[in-house]
Amino acid sequence: MSLVAPEAAVLARRGFVSAFEDGARPVRRLPVGPLRRALDPWSSLVCVATAENVVALTYDDGPDPVHTPAVLDALAAAGARATFFVLAERAERHPRLIARTVAEGHEVALHGIDHARLTEVPVPRALALVAEGRDRLEQVLGAPVTLFRPTYGAQRLRTARGVRALGLDVVIWTAWARDWEGVPASVIAPRALGALHPGAVVLLHDSSGDGVGAEGLDRGDATGRIVAGMAERGYVSRTVSELVAMYPAVRSLWS
């Protein structure tokens, strides 16, 4: 039986955030009743409501032939499960990594065809790209794809609504480590651990989607340090879909 946090907002402890945020950021739940039902199609999943020390580690931009196996090794050693938001083009180049990811109990979801920012094209074109990416990833995966995360977390509300109409749920995050910066695993791990909160969706990367950023980061080492620190704090990681099946979803209007 889950323990649902009683607060009207779930505090996402984002100590390592972009310049327009400062400290803990309240993620307002959609209102209850008819207004919620009206706003729901425009909303994105940001975390789940629980007082239990469970989170969803999520990885963007792979699969990567160097970093993804190292991340998978670290997760396997800890018995942790995660969700991988992959780029369809890379999945097509590395189908064996996709197969390994699924075989080891993880979830594969869509991040896009490539790492282009969908807010830079008209909404109909953005939705066509998402649909194409889903179809291409499903061909590699051999199973339906149900979750989508926009690159850079950038979307219009109309795009979010359209993606929901395609049968995909939009997943954002409430914790991150800024692991695209040129800093080592010894810095990334404390950032991620400091951002944890019960029910968090944690943003990490098993590659660099735009070809820039912390290419020198040992992402397997970072994951190993994160899951070890989580164990010390009594946290476990599950897939996004597992969390949503177990606890109430927290949804927000995110654009």
Side-chain angles (χ1 to χ4, degrees):
M1 182 176 179
S2 65
L3 301 175
V4 179
E7 296 84 0
V10 173
L11 288 182
R13 298 176 191 144
R14 306 179 76 173
F16 296 87
V17 295
S18 54
F20 58 82
E21 294 169 321
D22 183 22
R25 180 173 185 242
V27 178
R28 298 297 178 185
R29 301 184 193 187
L30 295 181
V32 177
L35 183 56
R36 179 192 175 98
R37 290 192 292 273
L39 292 176
D40 182 82
W42 307 78
S43 69
S44 299
L45 174 72
V46 291
C47 61
V48 298
T50 179
E52 297 177 7
N53 287 347
V54 58
V55 302
L57 295 181
T58 68
Y59 292 84
D60 287 7
D61 297 353
D64 180 279
V66 174
H67 295 295
T68 304
V71 168
L72 290 172
D73 288 345
L75 293 171
R81 292 193 294 278
T83 297
F84 289 78
F85 289 90
V86 306
L87 300 174
E89 287 185 344
R90 292 188 175 184
E92 290 168 338
R93 293 200 298 269
H94 305 290
R96 291 184 180 180
L97 276 178
I98 296 295
R100 177 186 169 184
T101 301
V102 174
E104 295 185 3
H106 306 294
E107 181 173 36
V108 173
L110 178 65
H111 197 35
I113 296 175
D114 53 22
H115 209 261
R117 190 185 294 264
L118 294 182
T119 52
E120 294 180 351
V121 298
V123 170
R125 176 59 178 161
L127 295 175
L129 290 171
V130 172
E132 179 186 345
R134 177 200 58 194
D135 294 345
R136 289 169 64 173
L137 181 56
E138 287 181 344
Q139 286 295 312
V140 177
L141 192 59
V145 173
T146 61
L147 302 179
F148 170 70
R149 171 176 287 160
T151 54
Y152 306 100
Q155 64 179 348
R156 301 179 180 94
L157 290 179
R158 286 175 59 207
T159 307
R161 187 176 189 275
V163 169
R164 296 285 299 280
L166 289 172
L168 295 166
D169 202 358
V170 181
V171 182
I172 310 294
W173 59 82
T174 54
W176 61 4
R178 297 178 71 93
D179 58 349
W180 54 87
E181 296 180 343
V183 294
S186 59
V187 174
I188 295 299
R191 289 181 177 182
L193 294 169
L196 292 180
H197 65 88
V201 174
V202 185
L203 172 65
L204 298 166
H205 297 78
D206 59 329
S207 186
S208 174
D210 52 12
V212 299
E215 284 303 316
L217 171 64
D218 185 333
R219 298 177 188 276
D221 183 22
T223 294
R225 292 170 183 259
I226 291 168
V227 292
M230 287 172 54
E232 292 174 356
R233 293 161 173 77
Y235 275 91
V236 297
S237 176
R238 298 291 182 258
T239 69
V240 170
S241 290
E242 286 174 329
L243 285 196
V244 173
M246 295 169 63
Y247 308 102
V250 177
R251 310 192 65 87
S252 179
L253 300 180
W254 181 294
S255 62

